[in-house]
Amino acid sequence: MKGGGVPGFVGRRRELARLAAALRAAPSVVLVEGEAGTGKSALVRQALAVAGTAPERVLSGYCHPIAEPMPYGPVLDALRSSGPLLAEAAPLPASTGALRSWLPELGAWLPHASDGGDERHRLVQGIRALLDALGRVVLVVEDAQWADRASRELLLLLARDPRPGLSLLVTYRAEELAAGAPVLGAAYRCPPGVAGGLVQLGPLEEAEVRELAAREWSAEAVPELVAVLGERSGGLPALVVEDLAALRESGPHSEPAMALAEAELPRGLRDVVAERLAGLGPDALAVAETVAVLDAPTSEEVIGEVAQLSAERVATALVDALRAGVLAEPTAARYAFCREPVRQVAYRRIPGPVRSALHRRVIAVLRAAEPQPLARIAAHTRALGDRAAWQGVAEEAAGQTAEQGDPAAAGLLLRELLAETDLAPERRVRVARALSAIAANAADDTASTAALGGIVADPRLPVADRGEIRLTLGLRVAVQGGDRAGFAQIERAADELAERPARAARALVALAMNERDGAGAAAREHMAKAAAALEVEPDEEVAAAYRATLLTFQAREGDPALWPELDRLPRDSTNPELVRQTTRALYNVGDIALDTGHDQRAGRLLAESRALARQAASSYLECYSRIALLRLDGLAGRWQGLEERFAALGTEFPDVAMAGVERAMLLGRLAAARGRLAVARAEFTSAAEYGERESQVTAALRAAAGLGALELAEHGGAAAAVVVAPAVAILRQAGAWARSGELLPVAVETARAIGDIDAARHLTEEAAEALGGVDAPAAYAGLELARGHLLDGLGGTGTGTEAGGGAAEAYRRARDAWRAIGRPYEAARAEERLARVLAEHDTQAAAEWLTAAEAAFTTLGAASDAARCQHVRRDLGLGRTASPGRRGYGEALSPRERQVAELVAQGAGNQDIAQALFLSPRTVEHHVASVLRKLGVGRKEVAEALAAR
């Protein structure tokens, strides 16, 4: 084990908090329910540690799966260890004497037994009296599903009337209780004044499996290993720990995920399943084996037909298997194993001839269905080892699943077929083209991208077919993968598709989208060649792609004539590819509209593209639309929960490059606003690395703007120029002035910071000229902000770009423009700049503008920006913000403590907090100590404590 804490315990924060709170609030009763391996005992141990319970005050007893358990055994076993506590206790009451013969280990403290009365009654009263004398203790009874009747009745009595200092914890497996009976023999609810209740544990989430793997194996546990662990364990922590221990003992392994996937399932799981199966009668065992082979929730009728049992026998057998915890009913009247790993163990225990016979019967049953579930038939055919038959069925199944809207399943089948070394050449071509068609619209399919790369290297493939597949490969690398190296593949595809003019035109249209490395200048030429090819071989689908690309160019250029053209796009076509190209156009224009400042239009376009993408089964366009809508929320100041939503999207589409880069942009922006500059730098650097590879210039420009602003704030103009100058060169080369709203003001401020006023003036004038007649509100807002930076300190007395009322008026226009667009953070930044300029000659107006900026920053959660406004107010002598006066906050957090707590929750150190909030390190230490004291937690638990408030 690599980390601290109870072995095998991760996550479970809510359950842990509830259990620890109950332990602190005796009397309490907690029933901890969960199947074998969920970590019930680990949760109890962790809760005892969190609650600070002294080990000697924990009395533990265990129930065992034996035929005739001793009455009251687990409770009596627990009491045997109470001797050290009795040594300090007052003389025990006479009623405890009834325990002398049962607990001879405590004979030194127990009084002599009195005669008379019912022995059972005297024993129970003696136990209650002894627990009362022990004071504050925790009685833990583990595996209560195996408790005898007397012990259940005793536990029920203790739970219904617990002694004042007693905490009773009972763990059990619900699936092993006889006929689903309550664990205490009768329904139980905590009486008034008694804390606790039922705590149910399920499998770990994927993130928790990853955390456990990092603790037990390595902090760098690779995703492939985590995926295999999750699949094999079903999320049960005990099985994860066992698997990792076995893997370590059999190692070292260069490919641990592969080694684990090929290893036996955990012995603990195999033993539990074997024990349960051994307890079944012949019919119940036959039903369990049939369900294991069926590998899907199935009805009684189908189970009976495959198992060759009558309806009555199947019903009886199912009841037995359900009560034994072997099978479950996941949906009404459908039966399956509760966990996939359990099914696998049961499946592997079936003798080979029996297993094959069952597979043949399943195939016969499935063939009689309408429509035939070909994917399931293919799986059962493969299990029989008939490779030739499987290849034919698998190809049919891939087509069926694709038509049914499951491209992921279709892609998996096609990749498995392509891995077959004896696949017939004509079938290989068909399968390759089918995979190419599916991959073209998939968002998250790196396996298919790799498979396509192998296909185009096959010299047996006809040239034109290779061109089709290479075109898809290039688009996946360049578009879904965000790497303009894919355009080299697209260019080769255009040549290979010479005998198919329309498809060659599609490749040329794709090439035109690249605006890096001077390729933008060739875009019109590519489009002209595509148009000529479509004259030779008209194709409405490629023509739709051509039209979508033209609209994208109009959006990039800020063409005012763009908007009416969007209304003419076909939305209701019965041709899915036409709808996909409409979706592509709407997404491209909507995404670029965020760059140019048409935020409201962008929201409408992106919402429509998201809906159409789902309708057209284009998961990558749906994913992209969702990413852009999250970006819009960030720009609009809707920051609450944005990081979590981006993280969820990244989990859903882990291989989509754009999800990662937009998340990095967002986290960089939020981190900078909150004063976590090191985090912001790392995120913007990550985004910049993507921008270097990407075929569109926007990501590079935005990342450079973020990094440049950080360099200006931390290291000055010279450091910022290193970042900004290459980005300005890209901006000029691509002519992307309509998308310069973020970079332009940073570049001009950088030029001013290094004393190059001429460069600042030239860039401002160049932008103003390029933006003439362009429909790009954000670019104009950025231009006004740049003018403010240029004129700030020059007095506003010059000519040309210096006209128009000086820096103050430029900042005012920038603020109005950002507000009209709907970006409160940018508007507040302009207000802050305006206040600084006005402070020289109009302190009242300056104070008002600074107050407005500070209020906006506070509302947004931009703690560092708000703190900087307070700092500026003091530096410029603008007085304090009006307030009702200082008051005490008692045990509640003050506003400043709340700011500090939020930064601590984000992982900031004291030095980071001091820098972010413009405070001294000693002041920060004081605030942090106060926060931890008021919240009653350590530094790592602050985030959870804040969320609970």
Side-chain angles (χ1 to χ4, degrees):
M1 177 174 164
K2 302 293 182 182
V6 172
F9 184 83
V10 295
R12 314 288 199 197
R13 291 177 177 82
R14 183 176 300 176
E15 296 88 345
L16 177 61
R18 186 176 173 193
L19 188 50
L23 288 169
R24 297 188 187 104
S28 57
V29 177
V30 182
L31 307 180
V32 183
E33 176 186 305
E35 65 181 288
T38 48
K40 302 180 292 297
S41 299
L43 173 67
V44 169
R45 293 197 300 274
Q46 186 74 10
L48 290 167
V50 170
T53 306
E56 64 272 15
R57 295 209 164 267
V58 180
L59 311 176
S60 298
Y62 302 87
C63 304
H64 304 285
I66 54 179
E68 297 182 6
M70 185 179 72
Y72 315 113
V75 176
L76 292 172
D77 286 345
L79 292 173
R80 293 184 204 283
S81 61
S82 64
L85 298 177
L86 293 176
E88 302 173 2
L92 297 177
S95 57
T96 61
L99 300 176
R100 281 186 69 90
S101 61
W102 296 86
L103 299 174
E105 299 88 346
L106 305 183
W109 301 283
L110 294 172
H112 290 282
S114 57
D115 296 328
D118 179 72
E119 182 181 6
R120 178 174 176 274
H121 175 75
R122 288 190 300 110
L123 179 62
V124 170
Q125 291 305 312
I127 290 173
R128 287 169 58 83
L130 181 58
L131 287 170
D132 200 20
L134 290 172
R136 197 174 184 89
V137 292
V138 179
L139 176 60
V140 180
V141 176
E142 298 264 26
D143 290 321
Q145 74 276 0
W146 293 322
D148 62 283
R149 180 177 176 180
S151 295
R152 290 178 196 272
E153 292 175 351
L154 173 58
L155 292 174
L156 180 62
L157 178 64
L158 295 176
R160 283 184 169 173
D161 183 22
R163 313 315 297 163
L166 176 65
S167 289
L168 175 62
L169 306 185
V170 179
T171 73
Y172 66 99
R173 308 174 192 174
E175 72 276 10
E176 295 190 26
L177 291 169
V183 66
L184 300 182
Y188 175 75
R189 181 175 297 172
C190 287
V194 177
L198 176 64
V199 173
Q200 293 176 301
L201 294 188
L204 298 176
E205 300 290 338
E206 181 183 351
E208 293 171 324
V209 173
R210 187 182 309 114
E211 182 183 349
L212 182 53
R215 176 187 292 183
E216 302 288 333
W217 179 258
S218 165
E220 292 80 31
V222 295
E224 293 82 2
L225 177 59
V226 173
V228 174
L229 283 168
E231 181 180 343
R232 287 168 56 90
S233 69
L236 301 182
L239 300 186
V240 173
V241 172
E242 184 179 344
D243 254 348
L244 290 175
L247 187 63
R248 185 177 294 109
E249 290 174 7
S250 63
H253 301 284
S254 58
E255 295 287 344
M258 185 180 299
L260 183 60
E262 296 172 352
E264 281 276 5
L265 288 165
R267 174 161 293 281
L269 174 66
R270 286 182 280 140
D271 290 346
V272 168
V273 175
E275 178 185 347
R276 293 184 187 177
L277 292 174
L280 298 178
D283 283 357
L285 180 59
V287 163
E289 290 178 342
T290 299
V291 172
V293 170
L294 281 162
D295 192 16
T298 309
S299 67
E300 284 184 57
E301 293 76 15
V302 172
I303 294 171
E305 190 171 353
V306 176
Q308 298 182 329
L309 294 173
S310 67
E312 293 77 13
R313 290 173 67 185
V314 167
T316 302
L318 278 171
V319 170
D320 291 345
L322 289 167
R323 286 180 172 171
V326 173
L327 297 183
E329 188 179 6
T331 58
R334 295 294 183 272
Y335 304 96
F337 281 82
C338 55
R339 299 265 178 260
E340 172 58 17
V342 175
R343 187 201 70 81
Q344 291 179 28
V345 172
Y347 179 84
R348 295 176 187 182
R349 290 177 59 84
I350 304 172
V354 175
R355 190 168 59 240
S356 295
L358 288 170
H359 279 297
R360 291 189 187 94
R361 290 181 212 152
V362 172
I363 291 171
V365 170
L366 296 178
R367 284 290 187 190
E370 187 60 42
Q372 293 182 7
L374 295 176
R376 292 187 63 194
I377 292 171
H380 289 286
T381 304
R382 190 175 195 178
L384 288 171
D386 189 344
R387 310 298 295 181
W390 172 75
Q391 290 175 5
V393 179
E395 185 178 2
E396 289 184 75
Q400 183 187 66
T401 52
E403 289 176 4
Q404 292 171 343
D406 191 354
L412 178 59
L413 282 166
L414 294 169
R415 290 194 302 273
E416 289 175 344
L417 278 167
L418 289 169
E420 294 285 289
T421 56
D422 61 345
L423 198 65
E426 61 276 10
R427 176 167 281 161
R428 183 173 295 278
V429 171
R430 289 198 308 270
V431 170
R433 292 195 62 176
L435 180 62
S436 175
I438 289 171
N441 294 295
D444 184 21
D445 195 2
T446 54
S448 290
T449 302
L452 294 176
I455 293 167
V456 297
D458 187 346
R460 296 170 293 176
L461 206 63
V463 173
D465 289 328
R466 184 185 297 113
E468 291 276 8
I469 296 165
R470 195 187 300 279
L471 173 57
T472 299
L473 173 62
L475 286 170
R476 284 201 59 80
V477 173
V479 180
Q480 286 95 317
D483 188 344
R484 65 181 184 275
F487 285 101
Q489 295 284 357
I490 297 172
E491 192 166 7
R492 289 184 64 185
D495 294 336
E496 291 170 335
L497 289 166
E499 65 184 60
R500 299 176 185 174
R503 299 308 299 162
R506 182 64 186 91
L508 290 166
V509 167
L511 283 174
M513 287 294 293
N514 185 13
E515 60 178 341
R516 296 294 295 270
D517 307 321
R524 299 298 177 186
E525 181 183 348
H526 290 314
M527 294 295 281
K529 287 181 178 179
L534 288 171
E535 289 288 333
V536 175
E537 185 185 3
D539 185 301
E540 65 173 349
E541 294 180 357
V542 178
Y546 181 91
R547 181 170 57 247
T549 299
L550 286 180
L551 292 171
T552 302
F553 289 168
Q554 286 183 272
R556 285 178 181 175
E557 295 161 3
D559 184 352
L562 163 68
W563 309 111
E565 296 297 321
L566 295 175
D567 296 332
R568 302 187 180 97
L569 291 170
R571 268 83 164 173
D572 302 320
S573 173
T574 57
N575 184 329
E577 181 58 23
L578 296 187
V579 178
R580 277 193 282 268
Q581 290 303 327
T582 292
T583 305
R584 173 174 164 255
L586 294 173
Y587 163 72
N588 283 353
V589 173
D591 186 52
I592 296 170
L594 293 178
D595 299 322
T596 58
H598 290 286
D599 289 15
Q600 292 186 18
R601 267 189 173 135
R604 293 192 294 271
L605 292 171
L606 293 167
E608 186 179 8
S609 70
R610 176 181 178 176
L612 282 177
R614 183 168 297 177
Q615 174 186 324
S618 181
S619 59
Y620 92 87
L621 283 172
E622 182 187 352
C623 174
Y624 282 15
S625 299
R626 290 167 61 186
I627 292 168
L629 286 167
L630 288 178
R631 180 187 168 197
L632 175 59
D633 282 344
L635 293 173
R638 297 186 285 267
W639 294 358
Q640 187 69 33
L642 200 51
E643 293 153 287
E644 291 77 10
R645 282 186 285 156
F646 250 119
L649 191 63
T651 300
E652 187 176 350
F653 300 100
D655 297 318
V656 174
M658 184 180 288
V661 72
E662 286 297 344
R663 181 171 183 266
M665 295 275 201
L666 169 79
L667 294 181
R669 177 185 176 90
L670 297 186
R674 294 164 178 167
R676 300 196 62 200
L677 303 188
V679 173
R681 180 183 300 280
E683 297 294 351
F684 283 130
T685 299
S686 172
E689 290 170 355
Y690 171 86
E692 281 295 310
R693 301 189 305 272
E694 228 270 323
S695 62
Q696 317 300 305
V697 301
T698 312
L701 302 185
R702 290 168 54 209
L707 274 176
L710 286 177
E711 292 291 5
L712 273 173
E714 288 193 282
H715 305 121
V722 173
V723 174
V724 170
V728 171
I730 293 172
L731 170 67
R732 285 174 168 143
Q733 183 184 57
W737 297 101
R739 292 168 279 162
S740 64
E742 293 186 35
L743 178 64
L744 181 61
V746 176
V748 170
E749 187 175 14
T750 297
R752 283 296 315 270
I754 61 177
D756 196 343
I757 295 176
D758 289 341
R761 182 182 291 109
H762 174 68
L763 182 56
T764 306
E765 292 172 348
E766 184 182 6
E769 182 178 355
L771 290 171
V774 171
D775 184 15
Y780 285 113
L783 176 60
E784 292 298 346
L785 196 60
R787 282 176 172 148
H789 296 337
L790 173 64
L791 299 173
D792 193 358
L794 298 181
T797 59
T799 60
T801 57
E802 297 176 13
E809 285 306 309
Y811 286 137
R812 195 188 307 270
R813 289 193 296 271
R815 176 261 191 186
D816 292 345
W818 287 124
R819 289 196 67 180
I821 293 169
R823 301 189 187 180
Y825 183 74
E826 281 75 9
R829 293 297 299 265
E831 287 172 344
E832 181 189 350
R833 291 287 191 156
L834 176 57
R836 294 186 187 215
V837 171
L838 291 176
E840 297 180 9
H841 54 83
D842 189 344
T843 56
Q844 181 176 349
E848 291 172 356
W849 284 111
L850 198 60
T851 297
E854 183 182 339
F857 288 140
T858 301
T859 300
L860 287 167
S864 184
D865 291 305
R868 186 181 59 249
C869 287
Q870 297 171 359
H871 190 69
V872 168
R873 182 186 302 281
R874 290 194 297 270
D875 283 355
L876 298 179
L878 298 178
R880 297 176 60 86
T881 306
S883 68
R886 190 176 183 87
R887 68 180 180 89
Y889 290 89
E891 289 305 302
L893 297 179
S894 70
R896 176 66 84 190
E897 287 170 343
R898 166 66 67 165
Q899 286 181 324
V900 170
E902 288 172 350
L903 287 168
V904 170
Q906 296 161 27
N910 286 5
Q911 193 62 42
D912 296 327
I913 297 171
Q915 183 180 25
L917 301 181
F918 299 90
L919 300 172
S920 71
R922 183 175 292 277
T923 300
V924 170
E925 289 176 11
H926 170 76
H927 285 313
V928 169
S930 181
V931 163
L932 299 182
R933 179 185 60 78
K934 289 183 177 182
L935 295 180
V937 296
R939 197 167 189 126
K940 292 182 178 179
E941 289 78 39
V942 168
E944 188 174 343
L946 283 177
R949 285 206 161 201

